[in-house]
Amino acid sequence: MKKAVKIEDVVLGNKVTITIDEHLNKLKGKVLAPRKLAQANKSLRKIKKLPE
């Protein structure tokens, strides 16, 4: 079931309609891109110090 929510932007004054799909809530906690996650973890292990 999809739910539509209408909100008004405070800064610009635009009206925006957001559609919420309940199907996406079922994906919570699942890894959607395991190869990308593995690649990111591998790259992060190589980093010794973050730049300031």
Side-chain angles (χ1 to χ4, degrees):
M1 178 180 197
K2 293 184 181 181
K3 216 187 306 185
V5 179
K6 294 182 182 181
I7 59 171
E8 186 173 341
D9 186 10
V10 178
V11 178
L12 300 175
N14 297 336
K15 293 184 179 179
V16 180
T17 303
I18 299 173
T19 304
I20 302 170
D21 190 0
E22 294 297 325
H23 175 69
L24 295 176
N25 290 337
K26 296 176 187 176
L27 300 175
K28 190 174 187 178
K30 292 185 180 178
V31 178
L32 299 178
R35 278 190 250 148
K36 288 285 186 178
L37 181 62
Q39 182 183 8
N41 286 336
K42 185 177 178 182
S43 298
L44 286 174
R45 276 188 238 121
K46 293 180 182 178
I47 297 175
K48 294 183 180 178
K49 181 179 171 185
L50 294 175
E52 293 181 9

